[in-house]
Amino acid sequence: MSQQEQFAAAINKGYQFSGPKILLGQAMLDGVPEANTPVYVPLKTMNRHGLIAGATGTGKTKTLQVIAEGLSDASVPVLLLDIKGDLSGIAAPGVAGSRAAERAAALGINYTPQAYPVELLTLSNNKPGVRLRATVSEFGPVLLSKILGLNDTQGGIVALIFKYCDDNSLPLLDLKDFVRVLQFASSEGKEELEKQYGKISTTSTGTILRKVIELQQQGADAFFGERSFDVDDLMRIAPDGRGIISILRVTELQDRPKMFSTFMLQLLAELYASAPEEGDMDQPKLILFIDEAHLIFNEASEVLLDQIETVIKLIRSKGIGIFFCTQNPMDIPASVLGQLGMKVQHALRAFTAADRKVIKQAAENYPETSFYKTDELLTQLGIGEAFVTLLNEKGIPTPLVHTMLVPPRSRMDVLTDFEVTQQVQQSKIAAKYNAEVDSESAYEILNRKLEAAQKRAAEIEELEAAAKAEKTTAKRAPKEESWMDNPMVKSAGRTAATMITRTLLGVLGFGGSRRKKGFF
């Protein structure tokens, strides 16, 4: 048997699957596509996660687009984190006669331009799309403390604040709620909280407040609040049976790593918490693609890295797969890379000795093969070509294969601003999430209580001041004179009294020395 026949036999054995699958491309040997050697991806193992890697301009984003289209066709919903802003074209059909059509002809397959059902999402209040938000309460004290990078003592205060709000029916919806309660705990309500829950350090509350302000400066106010996004809306199926591809454009978050970490933590936590255990499924419930993932791992906090590693290990049993699209496989931490069952490796560039060392390390991450010199071919792969290996339906790695990838059927360019606006207007959930909602929450309730308390205190103070003033006035005022106090009245009274006394004394015989005759 010739090498060519051996190669075809190995590929057909390794990449033929009995269950539902996606056509990824055609196997190549010595730089030429081999007839009748299709490379498929089984849907059954796509919840084992994956990696799409390659240097800039090698076609990795289009590979992501091809896989997303195949998933949609198979009724699997998809979520794309579009950091570069170049994936919105999935909502529009490709162009006949384009490079995509030429590639299809070279592979011997029909090219039919196709638009896909797309939902455009956004984290910003000034970008078109369906708003993604979450409340502070949904994060909970543990996750919020991780986002803020707090120590155990500070995290304990956050837990205490959440407890106080629960006990006193103070909803924590947005960051201004949390900030107001934090201020209350360190000033007007400090005595009340310490009496119920123990001593609170003003220094610690000040540190927490500064951390929250830092998060607000990266745009977190737009993310925290109502109406909370329901992750079930990421798993919708279009009326024609295809899975909806949700595209979250996060181009503005490249320079705001803390904000991006906040969103990623909440999304992964919510997906994991809300999705039920499914066990082995014929196809996944949802696939999440993170484009330009090196931006996450270069800038993300240690907390986010730990959370991603934990979720990667556990979430596959819930039928959810996560794919990372990045420039170099070494961008992904080894603990995460070891969990990725599917790997699509586009060309790497060797400009320096350090680059060659990285390429050699990358080659060692793939199965050994007698058909290729992997480390050499990694630098020679053409645009739209990649090394592929994945898990078969029994969970066994497939042979490493040099693959010419099929082209996307949707547009290989972005939507215009007008098309984006139209897409959002056609959304069935935009009205649900884009309406501004500001329910009464901790901020309003505390302010109203404090205003009432201050008003009552002012009234009491005013009454006390009035009473004091009246007392002082009464003390200082001269005594009011009666008619008896008049001098003339007093003099007349004395004269009358004297006359009366004299008259009485005269009648009684004490009036003088003269005696009447006849007596004695």
Side-chain angles (χ1 to χ4, degrees):
M1 185 181 293
S2 67
Q3 185 186 38
Q4 194 172 20
E5 291 173 332
Q6 291 176 0
F7 175 76
I11 297 305
N12 286 329
K13 181 181 179 181
Y15 287 90
Q16 292 294 329
F17 309 109
S18 58
K21 52 188 178 290
I22 297 171
L23 177 63
L24 195 60
Q26 194 82 12
M28 300 179 71
L29 182 64
D30 298 328
V32 179
E34 287 292 315
N36 302 317
T37 55
V39 176
Y40 291 103
V41 180
L43 291 177
K44 186 177 180 66
T45 60
M46 288 199 73
N47 64 332
R48 302 295 184 92
H49 317 305
L51 171 71
I52 302 171
T56 300
T58 57
K60 60 183 182 295
T61 302
K62 301 312 170 190
T63 299
L64 184 159
Q65 192 170 337
V66 166
I67 298 174
E69 290 176 357
L71 288 165
S72 177
D73 286 332
S75 298
V76 177
V78 176
L79 172 60
L80 304 179
L81 266 61
D82 186 8
I83 295 180
K84 292 186 300 183
D86 56 0
L87 288 168
S88 61
I90 296 177
V95 180
S98 62
R99 287 177 298 167
E102 293 174 3
R103 169 61 64 91
L107 292 172
I109 60 176
N110 294 325
Y111 179 73
T112 306
Q114 180 70 58
Y116 283 82
V118 164
E119 192 72 68
L120 297 178
L121 311 176
T122 181
L123 294 175
S124 302
N125 53 12
N126 58 355
K127 298 283 186 182
V130 177
R131 290 283 302 278
L132 262 65
R133 283 176 283 204
T135 65
V136 173
S137 294
E138 288 170 332
F139 271 73
V142 176
L143 196 55
L144 187 61
S145 297
K146 287 181 177 181
I147 292 165
L148 298 175
L150 306 180
N151 60 30
D152 291 343
T153 300
Q154 296 157 354
I157 291 176
V158 172
L160 183 153
I161 287 174
F162 271 74
K163 171 66 175 170
Y164 174 78
C165 290
D166 287 342
D167 291 346
N168 291 274
S169 300
L170 298 174
L172 290 173
L173 302 181
D174 49 31
L175 285 180
K176 77 176 187 292
D177 290 328
F178 184 73
V179 169
R180 188 65 189 90
V181 179
L182 198 61
Q183 293 169 336
F184 177 77
S186 59
S187 54
E188 306 101 327
K190 185 174 182 180
E191 184 178 346
E192 176 189 347
L193 267 75
E194 289 187 349
K195 189 179 295 184
Q196 295 182 43
Y197 306 103
K199 190 170 180 60
I200 298 173
S201 167
T202 304
T203 303
S204 294
T205 56
T207 301
I208 298 168
L209 184 58
R210 288 193 295 274
K211 296 278 190 178
V212 175
I213 292 172
E214 179 186 349
L215 192 62
Q216 288 178 309
Q217 289 175 334
Q218 294 198 16
D221 281 322
F223 176 61
F224 285 95
E226 295 182 297
R227 180 175 183 172
S228 297
F229 192 84
D230 187 347
V231 293
D232 286 342
D233 282 329
L234 297 175
M235 303 182 190
R236 293 179 298 137
I237 304 297
D240 61 6
R242 292 181 297 173
I244 290 179
I245 300 174
S246 300
I247 302 176
L248 175 60
R249 295 175 298 162
V250 287
T251 54
E252 72 275 13
L253 296 187
Q254 292 188 40
D255 301 323
R256 294 186 279 170
K258 187 170 284 291
M259 178 59 189
F260 190 79
S261 295
T262 299
F263 165 71
M264 284 297 300
L265 276 171
Q266 196 275 339
L267 175 65
L268 294 175
E270 186 69 15
L271 282 172
Y272 180 75
S274 61
E277 290 288 336
E278 300 288 357
D280 289 331
M281 302 177 68
D282 290 334
Q283 62 185 51
K285 292 172 57 180
L286 176 71
I287 295 294
L288 166 62
F289 289 90
I290 305 174
D291 195 13
E292 299 297 328
H294 60 280
L295 295 175
I296 298 176
F297 293 109
N298 289 346
E299 301 289 347
S301 64
E302 196 67 33
V303 173
L304 175 59
L305 298 181
D306 292 342
Q307 187 79 6
I308 289 175
E309 182 180 347
T310 300
V311 170
I312 282 285
K313 291 177 179 178
L314 301 176
I315 204 169
R316 63 188 181 194
S317 64
K318 302 193 174 207
I320 298 173
I322 302 175
F323 279 64
F324 300 97
C325 188
T326 188
Q327 295 183 6
N328 192 301
M330 307 312 293
D331 295 333
I332 309 296
S335 58
V336 175
L337 190 62
Q339 300 292 323
L340 309 182
M342 177 180 172
K343 296 183 178 69
V344 180
Q345 178 65 62
H346 288 264
L348 296 175
R349 306 299 182 214
F351 298 112
T352 66
D355 290 338
R356 288 190 289 273
K357 184 178 180 181
V358 169
I359 288 171
K360 187 174 182 180
Q361 288 178 322
E364 292 173 352
N365 287 323
Y366 296 99
E368 294 182 358
T369 175
S370 60
F371 299 110
Y372 312 110
K373 291 184 178 179
T374 308
D375 56 345
E376 294 181 8
L377 190 53
L378 268 176
T379 62
Q380 301 169 15
L381 296 171
I383 297 174
E385 298 177 9
F387 273 127
V388 175
T389 182
L390 45 86
L391 299 178
N392 66 19
E393 292 168 313
K394 295 182 179 179
I396 301 171
T398 59
L400 185 66
V401 57
H402 178 194
T403 306
M404 178 177 282
L405 299 160
V406 299
R409 291 189 289 165
S410 55
R411 184 188 296 177
M412 296 175 65
D413 199 358
V414 299
L415 297 179
T416 65
D417 291 343
F418 177 74
E419 289 173 321
V420 167
T421 301
Q422 279 190 318
Q423 192 71 35
V424 176
Q425 289 175 345
Q426 294 168 5
S427 170
K428 294 184 178 179
I429 62 173
K432 173 182 175 182
Y433 292 111
N434 289 4
E436 291 296 332
V437 178
D438 190 11
S439 303
E440 184 177 74
S441 52
Y443 180 85
E444 290 82 10
I445 295 172
L446 273 181
N447 280 349
R448 190 171 65 249
K449 286 183 177 180
L450 289 173
E451 286 172 4
Q454 289 169 356
K455 184 178 180 180
R456 179 60 180 159
E459 290 174 351
I460 293 173
E461 185 177 346
E462 187 177 339
L463 289 172
E464 289 177 345
K468 185 177 180 181
E470 185 178 349
K471 185 176 180 181
T472 301
T473 301
K475 185 177 181 180
R476 291 179 180 177
K479 185 177 180 182
E480 187 177 310
E481 294 183 354
S482 67
W483 65 275
M484 290 294 294
D485 293 326
N486 189 296
M488 294 182 65
V489 174
K490 285 183 178 180
S491 178
R494 283 196 297 271
T495 302
T498 301
M499 293 176 65
I500 292 170
T501 301
R502 287 177 179 174
T503 300
L504 289 172
L505 289 174
V507 170
L508 294 173
F510 299 103
S513 57
R514 196 176 46 175
R515 298 179 181 176
K516 289 182 178 181
K517 291 181 179 181
F519 280 81
F520 300 105

